[in-house]
Amino acid sequence: MWKTFLKQLRHNLRGERGVRLVVIIGVAGLGLILLSGFFPNDKAEPEESIAQAQEDTSAILAQYCNEMEHQLSDVLMQIDGVGNCQVMVRADAGAQYIYVQNQEIDTQDMHTQEKQDVVLLSDSDGEYALTQQVMEPQISGVIVVCEGASSNIVKEHVTNAVQALLGISANRICIVPSAS
């Protein structure tokens, strides 16, 4: 069966007719290759996923700063003499995640190799890394605008409160009186 098929194929590929057939098949193959570039790719481009991750991190960081501003403002307005106040918090980097890792130590031929793998969990949504610890974003500065900031005693109370709540040094806190 194969012999007859190959014999007939050789006979059809001889001469001008065979050259035309090979050229047509080649052009059709190139056309399919070119057309494949127009179909959407299911995999996300690495640059797009990196940009998306940066946008997500920025949004999470902005939300964290916003929450801290509201909480600080609520606490500071309870201090005697502060009055109405507005707070702005600046953070340098987003939250950092520390993942649980399996650690394997392999000793062969007087050489020690250490291998660490992140522990993965799976559910109906897919796989994800098991988080051991989440470190909050690093606060780099705070500005407090309040009615009572012209008093040094109020400034000291506000500075102490912000230091205690955020764990930052006094040189990263700016307290100014409001315009009203």
Side-chain angles (χ1 to χ4, degrees):
M1 178 173 157
W2 281 106
K3 285 185 179 184
T4 57
F5 174 73
L6 290 175
K7 197 178 215 184
Q8 219 171 13
L9 184 64
R10 279 188 213 137
H11 176 68
N12 288 335
L13 291 178
R14 285 191 185 152
E16 192 176 314
R17 184 176 179 198
V19 172
R20 284 184 188 164
L21 185 61
V22 170
V23 169
I24 290 172
I25 291 173
V27 169
L30 286 173
L32 288 174
I33 290 171
L34 291 174
L35 284 175
S36 69
F38 292 108
F39 294 108
N41 191 355
D42 290 344
K43 295 180 182 177
E45 294 294 322
E47 295 168 358
E48 292 174 4
S49 61
I50 290 171
Q52 182 64 37
Q54 288 173 344
E55 287 177 20
D56 292 346
T57 302
S58 296
I60 291 169
L61 187 59
Q63 181 182 2
Y64 176 79
C65 287
N66 194 20
E67 289 175 12
M68 292 305 299
E69 289 167 1
H70 288 292
Q71 290 176 358
L72 269 173
S73 182
D74 290 345
V75 168
L76 294 176
M77 282 195 272
Q78 301 301 315
I79 297 173
D80 186 33
V82 171
N84 288 330
C85 73
Q86 271 192 308
V87 178
M88 183 173 177
V89 174
R90 174 153 166 73
D92 280 338
Q96 296 178 353
Y97 297 91
I98 299 172
Y99 299 106
V100 176
Q101 295 183 350
N102 282 336
Q103 193 171 25
E104 297 176 16
I105 298 174
D106 186 21
T107 55
Q108 294 178 358
D109 302 327
M110 312 249 310
H111 296 285
T112 302
Q113 290 182 336
E114 189 174 319
K115 182 180 178 185
Q116 294 181 343
D117 294 324
V118 174
V119 175
L120 297 176
L121 299 176
S122 60
D123 61 7
S124 61
D125 295 332
E127 288 188 334
Y128 58 94
L130 179 60
T131 306
Q132 179 179 354
Q133 182 180 7
V134 179
M135 298 176 68
E136 295 297 329
Q138 200 67 28
I139 303 296
S140 59
V142 176
I143 296 175
V144 178
V145 179
C146 62
E147 293 173 349
S150 54
S151 166
N152 286 334
I153 293 172
V154 171
K155 276 187 178 180
E156 184 180 345
H157 289 308
V158 170
T159 301
N160 291 339
V162 173
Q163 281 181 303
L165 290 172
L166 299 179
I168 60 174
S169 60
N171 66 337
R172 296 187 178 269
I173 302 169
C174 178
I175 303 166
V176 293
S178 62
S180 56

